[in-house]
Structures are given as structure tokens and as C-alpha cells.
Amino acid sequence: MSSTKNFITIILILGILVFLGWYFWDILVYMLIALALSFLGKPLMNLLSRIKIKNWQFPTSLAAVITILVILTVVFLIGFFLIPVAINELSALTNIDTTSIGNEFESWLNKLDPTLRKFGFLNDNEHFSNLITSQLAEEMSKFSMSKLVDNTFSIVSGAFIGTFSVLFMTFFSLKDHGIFFRMIREWIPIRYRNNFSNILNTTGKQLSSYFIGVFVDMICVGLIEFILCLILGIPDAFLIGLIGGLLNIIPFVGPILACIAGIVISLVSLIPASPAASVLMSTMIKVIAIFCVTKMVDDFVLQPTIYGKRTHTHPLEIFIVILMAGHIGGVLAMIFAVPAYTLIRTVVKEFFGAYFSNDEQLPAEE
């Protein structure tokens, strides 16, 4: 009876935590970012806290402020060196004659007219370019300036609130070490607090290792795409590699978006030189091949090595978890799927470890 009661209590606690995490998703994201920043700033925070001159101890509040300023300075310096390079490569795109590009694009589309008429997709008096133009015009008509202003204001205000919330939480996470976990611990029944401490120790190490792995994977993917673009002579190689590395944080969808962006950037860079259609086609094929090769290297070499060992999870397990998260919560859920799964798995093993301790050997596949 007692074990059944404990089982029901644990399930209720887990259900409440999952519901709160889902309902207050944006706040949970702010907390996770603040925790990640506090992990990064912890070494400097500890170093400043050790400073002591006679009876004067370095204030923890001041140490937290300095640590945050150092983190912001590092972010600023990274942007200071990377953004100008990206702007220089983007400046060439802004000087392109859009009219000539539109005319060239229209002529390419019209070349498809005979084939489309042959298979009955177009009438004799229709042109494929006109259909595309009318469809784009119809979609653009759905957007109004008022909606654009409202959306821009919403994005800016959301970014401001998010940034302030993250910095505010990071400050207190550094100043009062472990404040988030102590707050959660107070809401947990006393008899389960030791279990909570065990879960915290296990997941803390795995998640910090995982986030470091995400950063390393992004750098590796961006470098591979940059180097391959240089080897194959793709224009704006740095910009394509930068976008590919940044978007790689989004499972499945990110590489596709980065590939599309890479194709657009490379083709738009070549069009002012009026290259032959074969050159544009070969460039597009090269960009697609670069992203396909990088994706295979990432899936079969980088991710199993980086994520699997850091989270002690099989690649197939990670793949299924990400698919389920995408089905439930979209792209944002896919980004945080592995950390959330790591936490849930640790909780289950902590409370129900006795049910999984005696693993039976599965029969080998024939």
C-alpha cells in the first residue's frame, strides 16, 4: 500500500512539473538560458569571491555584476569581429539590380512553359512566370503595414523583456548560487529531497556537458561548410558557413533552412556577373552537396560522438525524442528536446530504478 501511495505521489509531482514547464514555457527558456550563463560565469565568479584584503571581502553582488559584464563583453567582441565580415559579404547583395534579376528569373521560368503545357499544367495562353507572380502578389496582399508594425513592436518588446529577464535571473543565479534549485526544493516533500539532490547532481553534469557539446557541434558544422565552400569556389563562403553553423542548433529544420539560404546567397552573388545557366546550376548543386555531406558527417560522426557520450544516450533514442518533441511543440521544443529528455530519464531512474535494474539480455537480431 505504501509503495502504491509513493508511486502515485511521484507521478503527480512529475505531472505537475511537466504541466508547469509547458504552461510557462517562455519563463522556463529564460531560466535555462540564465543557468547556462551562470555556468559559464561560475569560474570568474569563484575567482572574484576569493579576493580578500584584510577584513574586506569582495562583495558577491559586485562579483556577479562584473561577471555579467564580462560575458556581455565577450558576446560583443564576437559580434564585433563576425558581424562586419558578414555585413561586407551582404553589402554585395544589396547592390544587385533586382530588376535584371527579376527579368532573368522570369525568362528561366518561361522556358518551362512548353514542358508544363505538354503535361497539361498550363493552358496555351498562360505563362508559368505570371502564375508565380500572381501567387506572390496574392500572398503579399495578406500582409498590411499595420500588421508589420504590430509584429515588429511585439518582437522588439519581447526581445527586451526576454533580455532583461535573462540578465536579472543570471545575476541572482550567480549571486545566490543554486537559488533556482533551492526554490524548487522548497516545494518538494521532505522525504523526496534527497532524491532531488541526486537528480540535480546527475543532470547538472550531463546538461552542462550537453550545452558545451551543442556549441562545439555548431562550430564544427560551420567550419566544415566554410572550408567546403572555399574548396569548391562558392562565393560568400564565410556567410554561408556562419548561417549553417548558427541554424544547426535547430534539429532537422535548421540544415534545410541553411541550405536554402546558402543557395540564395550564392546565386544572387553570381547573377550580377551574368553567368551561364550551367554555372548557376552547378553552383546550386555544389551548395546542396556541401550541406548534404556536412549533414551526414554531423549525423554519423559529430553528433554520436558529442551528444551520445555526453548524455549517455543512443543516437536512435535521440532521433526519436527529437521527432516526438517536434510533433508536440514545433521547432522550439526540438531544440530543448534532449535536455528535457535527459532530465526526465534521470528522474525516472532515481525514483523507479528498482524496476529497471535487472535488464534481461535481448535476443540478437537474425
Side-chain angles (χ1 to χ4, degrees), residues 245-305:
L246 292 176
L247 291 181
N248 196 65
I249 193 174
I250 306 174
F252 308 138
V253 180
I256 297 175
L257 296 177
C259 182
I260 295 174
I263 293 173
V264 173
I265 292 171
S266 59
L267 293 183
V268 171
S269 300
L270 290 173
I271 285 178
S274 300
S278 59
V279 175
L280 296 176
M281 182 61 66
S282 64
T283 300
M284 183 172 65
I285 294 174
K286 287 178 183 178
V287 173
I288 294 175
I290 287 171
F291 278 89
C292 288
V293 170
T294 305
K295 180 62 177 172
M296 287 189 291
V297 172
D298 188 33
D299 287 344
F300 296 107
V301 179
L302 296 179
Q303 289 193 14
T305 302

Side-chain angles (χ1 to χ4, degrees), residues 38 48 113 134 149 163 202 228-229 259 267 272 303 347 360:
S38 63
L48 294 174
D113 288 352
S134 61
V149 173
T163 302
T202 303
L228 291 178
C229 285
C259 182
L267 293 183
Q303 289 193 14
V347 171
E360 296 182 0

Side-chain angles (χ1 to χ4, degrees), residues 62-136:
L62 181 58
V65 170
I66 293 175
T67 302
I68 292 175
L69 290 177
V70 169
I71 293 174
L72 293 177
T73 302
V74 171
V75 173
F76 173 79
L77 290 176
I78 293 174
F80 180 78
F81 287 107
L82 292 182
I83 291 177
V85 178
I87 290 176
N88 288 335
E89 299 200 14
L90 285 171
S91 61
L93 304 181
T94 59
N95 296 326
I96 292 174
D97 186 3
T98 56
T99 303
S100 62
I101 294 176
N103 294 334
E104 188 72 19
F105 184 66
E106 183 178 355
S107 65
W108 290 341
L109 291 177
N110 289 335
K111 291 178 181 178
L112 299 175
D113 288 352
T115 304
L116 294 175
R117 290 193 183 101
K118 180 180 179 181
F119 291 97
F121 293 105
L122 286 178
N123 297 325
D124 293 337
N125 58 343
E126 289 181 331
H127 296 284
F128 186 49
S129 60
N130 294 338
L131 293 179
I132 294 295
T133 304
S134 61
Q135 186 64 34
L136 288 176

